[in-house]
Amino acid sequence: MVYNQKDDESVEYESPPGNVKTNEKFSIKNGIAATIVQNLTNNYFSLFAIGVLGATNYQVGLISSLPQFVGMFAMLICSIMMGRISEKKNFTAYSVFITRVFLLCMVFVIYVPEAYQSWVFVLLVGLMNFPGSFAVLSWQSFIGDLIPDHRRNGFFSERNKILTIVGMGATFLIGLSLQQFDKTNPLPYQVLFLLAFIFGAIEVYYIMKHREAKAQPKRKLPGFNLNLGIFRDKPYLYFLICGLYFNFGWQMAWPLFSIYQISYAHANGFWISILTVANQLAQIASFTWWGKMADKHGNSKMMIPIALGMALAPVTMTISTNLIYITLANGLSGFFVSGTVLILFNQLLEVTKEDNRSSYIANYNVLLAIIGFIAPQFGVFLLEATNIGMSMSISTGVRASSAIFFLLFYVFMKKRNNRILLNNAGASAGSELERR
């Protein structure tokens, strides 16, 4: 790393091309291990809870929302810590490892008295997000420092495509394996959780292989700081409004999808895997395209069609309980999910300031955690108060209306960027006149 001292308060560095390439390589390997962990667990939490532990709709909703509630408090603590950490690699690695220990604990849930099994599992899923939130926030800030701006769309689109291919293969193999067991048999799920812990250790190993700048001690930056100061940054503020509203419509349907597929369409482990693979295939086919479109049109503009496309998923899902049809609907959803994952994150990085990026990301993630707790519970509430069709339709309406917010954000960003270009052009012309 090459360091450049600015004033006496902070240290900035620029990664040589060799280090960037090395970090990209290890980021992909780390991501592969993390993807395998997620596909061994997240896709089957609800199936395990409903099929083996007999969880209620409310408990299934908590599987989606409780991690967000716990994560909100974790973000408050982590954001303060991140403002004081110069080297983020170790912090990220330790956070990931502790998170994966919870997966090992899930192996033993079935030995808890039957009346408490589902609640213990829900609590483990929720509490796991405490160190998990540390890991997410620190990784976002860590990788944002290591990958230069001009590489992000290209690299992350390629990385996401590779990880999705790996996830698809893992999910398909898991589905074939689960088909050999009765859906009430806990043994295959215990094996999945144990394997996930092992791959979590591999994930930590590759995080530690990254090359991070050994920066000099820098001034202590503020951590989480929900005050008017940070909201005076209009691009960040307007992105918050758009992103949080969009995420509310997106996340309120998460438990509804699981409940519909398992309780209404009667999908077993094999079909859950097929549905996930269909979603991932669509993501693989579209990651590169979304990256190119973002480079061509900009992140803010591309979020408009993404929001409209994401609005299709809830309402199309409930047209039929035929699992082949649901598989096709999941494929359509996957096309827009890839755009959401890639561009929403890059848009966040685009509107955050480099000198205090951790604090900006922390504020976003804390607010997102609040939305993530409320939205799934609101979705389950709508399901209990109305029916699955009405609750899914409301999610579609919120997602579609978020496109209006992103349109206004795009117009604002375009005017702002044009104004900056004009000011820069005027400053350059003034400098040229002075030289003459």
Side-chain angles (χ1 to χ4, degrees), residues 253-262 264-265 267 271-272 275-276 278-279 309-334 337 388-389 391-393 395-396 399:
W254 286 2
L256 302 181
F257 281 122
S258 296
I259 292 169
Y260 184 78
Q261 292 165 2
I262 297 170
Y264 288 76
W271 275 106
I272 292 295
L275 297 176
T276 304
N279 191 280
M310 290 291 285
L312 295 173
V315 71
T316 55
M317 179 67 64
T318 55
I319 291 176
S320 172
T321 56
N322 182 282
L323 288 168
I324 295 176
Y325 167 78
I326 294 176
T327 301
L328 296 175
N330 262 30
L332 175 64
S333 173
V337 167
I388 191 68
S391 54
M392 287 285 208
S393 296
S395 175
T396 286
R399 293 185 187 195

Side-chain angles (χ1 to χ4, degrees), residues 188-232:
Y189 298 99
Q190 291 177 288
V191 174
L192 291 183
F193 297 148
L194 180 60
L195 287 174
F197 172 74
I198 294 171
F199 276 99
I202 297 173
E203 177 186 1
V204 171
Y205 171 77
Y206 282 116
I207 290 175
M208 296 299 295
K209 296 288 284 185
H210 285 72
R211 295 179 182 176
E212 182 184 26
K214 295 185 180 300
Q216 299 173 12
K218 59 182 181 179
R219 66 184 175 92
K220 292 184 178 181
L221 298 172
F224 178 74
N225 191 15
L226 270 179
N227 58 34
L228 296 178
I230 199 167
F231 294 130
R232 291 193 187 101

Side-chain angles (χ1 to χ4, degrees), residues 299-355:
N299 295 315
S300 57
K301 185 176 182 179
M302 291 309 300
M303 279 307 302
I304 301 169
I306 285 173
L308 292 173
M310 290 291 285
L312 295 173
V315 71
T316 55
M317 179 67 64
T318 55
I319 291 176
S320 172
T321 56
N322 182 282
L323 288 168
I324 295 176
Y325 167 78
I326 294 176
T327 301
L328 296 175
N330 262 30
L332 175 64
S333 173
F335 176 79
F336 293 100
V337 167
S338 63
T340 302
V341 170
L342 173 66
I343 296 176
L344 200 61
F345 177 60
N346 285 344
Q347 182 66 77
L348 172 62
L349 294 179
E350 184 180 315
V351 299
T352 56
K353 295 181 178 180
E354 292 185 10
D355 61 344

Side-chain angles (χ1 to χ4, degrees), residues 15-17 19-25 28 143-144 146-159 291 295 342 346 349:
S15 299
N19 278 1
V20 172
K21 291 294 184 182
T22 298
N23 286 328
E24 288 180 355
K25 178 182 71 174
I28 290 173
I143 205 68
L146 298 185
I147 307 299
D149 290 356
H150 68 276
R151 285 285 302 152
R152 283 178 188 153
N153 278 329
F155 169 68
F156 283 119
S157 63
E158 184 64 23
R159 181 182 187 270
D295 285 335
L342 173 66
N346 285 344
L349 294 179

Side-chain angles (χ1 to χ4, degrees), residues 45-114:
F45 278 160
S46 295
L47 189 62
F48 176 66
I50 295 173
V52 177
L53 305 180
T56 64
N57 285 346
Y58 176 67
Q59 290 171 328
V60 173
L62 283 175
I63 289 175
S64 295
S65 63
L66 187 58
Q68 306 299 325
F69 181 73
V70 171
M72 176 178 63
F73 296 101
M75 290 294 178
L76 293 172
I77 299 171
C78 184
S79 61
I80 296 172
M81 298 172 66
M82 289 301 296
R84 292 157 171 77
I85 295 175
S86 297
E87 298 175 22
K88 302 168 185 173
K89 179 172 69 175
N90 290 344
F91 185 81
T92 303
Y94 295 148
S95 299
V96 170
F97 180 75
I98 295 171
T99 303
R100 302 316 180 202
V101 168
F102 279 82
L103 298 173
L104 187 62
C105 295
M106 292 178 187
V107 174
F108 306 101
V109 166
I110 63 166
Y111 302 114
V112 173
E114 187 174 349

